[in-house]
Amino acid sequence: MNKSLISVLITATLGLSQSYAMTALNDEELSEIEGQSLINLEFQQGTNTTDAQGKTYNQSNIGFYKLALSAEMELNANIKKLQLGCGGDNNAIRASTCDIDIDHISLSGLPDNSNYTADERAATSALITNPFIQFAIKNPTSAATREVLGFRLSAEKIKGLMTLGTENSATPNGINTFSGYMKTKTATGTAVTEARSMTYADTNLTINGVVEGRLFGSSSGTTCQDGFLDPCQSISYTSNNYNLNLSSTSAPFTINSTIVSGTRMKDVTLKGSGTVGQIDFSGQLTAKVLGLLNLDKQVSGNITGLKTDITVNQSLGLIHALYLNNPASLSLQSQDVLWTGAAVGANKGWWLAMEDEVELGSLSPTTKVAITNEVLKQTIAGINKDLTDNPRNCGNLLTGCVGGSALVVGNVPMTTTLDFPLTNLTLQGQNFRPNCYGGLKFC
């Protein structure tokens, strides 16, 4: 019995070795075989080229060696403190700082549920496709003068959520300094303005206009109507004594796609445009009529049609959530290098690049936005033009215009585009959950 079993095992083993032995193939047989290697080594000769920002790079004497892994990898990671390239030559750009200085970095997948919890996020992983390491070699064909200019850790695509800092608040946290490149997607938001008052002391500009009324009779509405042998008469006025209450309103806006690129940056400038909803106003206005009489009125109305040219000066410490689905790389180079496949050249030192557009989410501020005195000043010219070109009816010249207590201004349509600067907004789209279980803020 035992001898029979041993014989069967020996026979099976010999059969397997014969079935799977290596066999020599000729060229014709080899051409019919398909396969894929796990690790690939590539060489690409550098050329004279120009990047997306118009900077020219003479790289004809540089060779790029790439060692790539043909695989998909998953990663969930937290880094409490990342500091690279502190001091050194780049101190000339910003002293006593680092090329990259970021607190509390978390990389994870993005849960399907937009209202995800911290536990749900911690259970996901970012997907890294085809990671690789690349070297830039100067004079690659000369053994005597060959020199390593830099290396790059990268991947063809990283899909997931990267967060920076511990919370989305009015206090900057996360990015302290940033050296690298990313391009943000066009994004939208809606700001809500704070209610405020507008006085002559705020603008140092007079409100000018014209009122109309009839000498003997009167007409209703905001436009004076002539009567029989009683035409409407116009009276000009100028006021340096007014106190108007302006209502809160919504102001939807769009921020254009923005390139963020540089060394040891602490903030970024975002540009966009928008509109302003209806602003209701009411309050006291005292004006001089005919150069000697006072027109003392409680006025009311609304302003519409305002547009905005927006400039946001934003601390990078208020950018917390980056929704990734693009190539990304971290590199170190001893001179400016335009790496293969990169949109913009990497500056000398450490450099973090995200090649495709990065999603920032909603740019709506979490708090109301103040209308500054400088913004108010820009509205006065348009208000004066409408009040002068379209005189408001005050009824009877004596009892309604010179006398009387109220003047209904009605709608003041405007075509003014306001220069609307904003600074350090806390953005709704930058809210995020920790990448930790158990209610921890960072782990």
Side-chain angles (χ1 to χ4, degrees):
M1 178 70 180
N2 290 336
K3 291 182 178 179
S4 299
L5 179 59
I6 292 172
S7 300
V8 170
L9 291 174
I10 292 173
T11 303
T13 301
L14 292 175
L16 286 173
S17 63
Q18 292 174 356
S19 299
Y20 293 94
M22 296 183 67
T23 303
L25 300 175
N26 59 35
D27 289 343
E28 182 178 349
E29 292 171 328
L30 188 61
S31 67
E32 296 177 355
I33 303 298
E34 295 183 0
Q36 181 177 353
S37 61
L38 176 63
I39 298 176
N40 297 297
L41 180 62
E42 299 177 10
F43 172 77
Q44 185 171 335
Q45 180 63 46
T47 61
N48 296 336
T49 186
T50 302
D51 71 6
Q53 291 186 307
K55 183 177 179 179
T56 299
Y57 292 81
N58 182 359
Q59 299 187 154
S60 58
N61 65 334
I62 297 177
F64 295 94
Y65 293 84
K66 177 179 176 182
L67 181 63
L69 189 65
S70 298
E72 289 185 343
M73 303 176 63
E74 293 185 348
L75 178 65
N76 183 298
N78 293 327
I79 302 174
K80 186 175 182 179
K81 184 76 171 177
L82 178 65
Q83 286 185 317
L84 299 170
C86 301
D89 291 347
N90 284 339
N91 266 348
I93 299 173
R94 190 182 296 273
S96 303
T97 59
C98 305
D99 294 344
I100 295 174
D101 185 356
I102 306 174
D103 298 326
H104 302 109
I105 305 173
S106 294
L107 178 64
S108 69
L110 183 61
D112 295 332
N113 177 16
S114 59
N115 295 317
Y116 65 89
T117 65
D119 285 355
E120 287 174 331
R121 181 187 177 189
T124 66
S125 295
L127 182 64
I128 302 174
T129 302
N130 298 340
F132 63 86
I133 183 171
Q134 188 173 34
F135 295 91
I137 307 296
K138 184 178 181 180
N139 302 320
T141 59
S142 172
T145 60
R146 187 179 299 146
E147 177 185 349
V148 178
L149 295 180
F151 72 92
R152 177 170 69 146
L153 303 174
S154 184
E156 292 184 5
K157 180 178 285 189
I158 298 178
K159 183 177 182 180
L161 172 62
M162 177 183 287
T163 57
L164 316 161
T166 56
E167 61 182 4
N168 183 30
S169 67
T171 302
N173 64 98
I175 298 178
N176 301 308
T177 54
F178 175 78
S179 299
Y181 164 84
M182 65 177 173
K183 184 178 182 182
T184 64
K185 285 186 178 180
T186 298
T188 60
T190 300
V192 177
T193 64
E194 289 184 337
R196 64 159 295 170
S197 62
M198 179 174 72
T199 67
Y200 178 77
D202 296 325
T203 66
N204 202 31
L205 297 170
T206 60
I207 291 180
N208 309 316
V210 176
V211 292
E212 286 187 336
R214 286 158 49 184
L215 185 59
F216 302 108
S218 65
S219 60
S220 60
T222 57
T223 303
C224 183
Q225 302 295 327
D226 292 334
F228 180 68
L229 299 179
D230 187 15
C232 294
Q233 306 291 332
S234 298
I235 302 176
S236 299
Y237 64 86
T238 298
S239 173
N240 63 359
N241 184 5
Y242 51 88
N243 187 358
L244 305 178
N245 295 314
L246 307 179
S247 68
S248 173
T249 190
S250 62
F253 62 90
T254 299
I255 295 295
N256 303 326
S257 176
T258 302
I259 290 178
V260 180
S261 180
T263 297
R264 298 194 181 184
M265 296 180 294
K266 285 183 172 289
D267 47 47
V268 62
T269 299
L270 306 174
K271 291 280 192 178
S273 59
T275 58
V276 179
Q278 177 176 301
I279 300 176
D280 298 324
F281 65 84
S282 63
Q284 201 68 25
L285 181 145
T286 301
K288 285 289 186 182
V289 177
L290 302 176
L292 50 95
L293 297 175
N294 277 339
L295 182 148
D296 195 356
K297 298 292 184 185
Q298 182 73 21
V299 299
S300 61
N302 59 75
I303 299 172
T304 58
L306 290 172
K307 298 179 181 179
T308 54
D309 186 0
I310 297 173
T311 301
V312 183
N313 293 314
Q314 188 79 350
S315 167
L316 290 175
L318 296 174
I319 303 296
H320 301 293
L322 301 177
Y323 300 87
L324 304 179
N325 191 17
N326 46 270
S329 65
L330 177 66
S331 63
L332 173 64
Q333 44 279 319
S334 59
Q335 68 178 50
D336 294 357
V337 173
L338 180 57
W339 292 96
T340 58
V344 170
N347 292 346
K348 179 180 179 180
W350 286 93
W351 189 263
L352 178 61
M354 301 172 192
E355 294 303 329
D356 292 339
E357 292 183 328
V358 175
E359 176 69 58
L360 294 180
S362 169
L363 298 185
S364 298
T366 59
T367 58
K368 290 186 176 181
V369 174
I371 299 179
T372 65
N373 290 345
E374 292 302 316
V375 172
L376 289 182
K377 290 177 183 179
Q378 299 173 61
T379 67
I380 298 297
I383 292 173
N384 289 346
K385 176 175 173 54
D386 182 73
L387 295 180
T388 302
D389 294 347
N390 304 287
R392 269 35 176 200
N393 177 39
C394 55
N396 184 271
L397 282 176
L398 298 178
T399 62
C401 295
V402 178
S405 60
L407 177 64
V408 178
V409 175
N411 177 240
V412 181
M414 299 179 65
T415 58
T416 305
T417 298
L418 304 175
D419 182 10
F420 206 110
L422 299 170
T423 302
N424 289 344
L425 300 177
T426 305
L427 305 174
Q428 292 180 14
Q430 293 299 292
N431 290 327
F432 66 95
R433 303 287 187 275
N435 187 33
C436 298
Y437 292 106
L440 296 175
K441 209 167 188 178
F442 194 80
C443 55

